[in-house]
Amino acid sequence: MHISAVPTNEKPLEWIGSSHKDLVALPADVRRFFGFALSLAQAGDRHDAAKVVKGFGGAGVLEVVEDDVGGTYRAVYTVKFTEAVFVLHCFQKKSKRGIATPKEDMDIINTRLKIAEALVKGLRK
């Protein structure tokens, strides 16, 4: 008998652009934290630390932020689509000016959200 630890209603995780490579490059504790938050998203739940990223018009774009001795790290993903949870961007926040996400990172998130939307359209055909 095979017992699966993964519930069947769990959404797959899809990595857009370099998001997986970027996540793997982060410190181990940060990776574990983001992995847990993403697994909750896959199960249709939301980590207490997940916040909506403003500027995406209710596109279900969320981020989790984690600090360690090396700095502040963010993982941004969307739960907008029923097909999958798309990881859009994982990065270390370099800006020292406030908590706002830097424009170049917002541009990456925007571009990758469009890629996710195109992938979903392809899946739905």
Side-chain angles (χ1 to χ4, degrees), residues 11-15 23 35 38-39 41-42 77 83-87:
K11 290 182 182 182
L13 204 55
E14 296 291 335
W15 303 89
L23 176 76
L38 291 169
S39 70
Q42 287 179 272
Y77 59 97
E83 289 80 357
V85 173
F86 289 91
V87 183

Side-chain angles (χ1 to χ4, degrees), residues 5-119:
V6 179
T8 54
N9 60 346
E10 190 169 275
K11 290 182 182 182
L13 204 55
E14 296 291 335
W15 303 89
I16 305 294
S18 63
S19 60
H20 186 258
K21 179 174 71 73
D22 298 337
L23 176 76
V24 172
L26 299 179
D29 288 347
V30 175
R31 281 197 319 266
R32 275 192 290 279
F33 179 79
F34 288 166
F36 179 62
L38 291 169
S39 70
L40 286 175
Q42 287 179 272
D45 205 349
R46 186 160 141 180
H47 193 284
D48 290 342
K51 305 267 187 283
V52 173
V53 180
K54 290 178 176 52
F56 293 97
V61 176
L62 302 168
E63 76 172 349
V64 283
V65 179
E66 179 70 336
D67 294 313
D68 90 333
V69 292
T72 299
Y73 301 88
R74 295 180 180 203
V76 180
Y77 59 97
T78 183
V79 294
K80 175 183 180 179
F81 309 105
T82 56
E83 289 80 357
V85 173
F86 289 91
V87 183
L88 303 173
H89 194 24
C90 296
F91 62 102
Q92 180 175 4
K93 184 175 178 292
K94 302 245 191 315
S95 170
K96 300 293 180 232
R97 296 189 311 271
I99 60 170
T101 304
K103 183 186 182 318
E104 68 188 58
D105 291 304
M106 289 298 282
D107 291 346
I108 290 169
I109 294 163
N110 244 320
T111 300
R112 291 180 180 174
L113 181 60
K114 288 184 176 82
I115 292 168
E117 287 168 346
L119 287 170

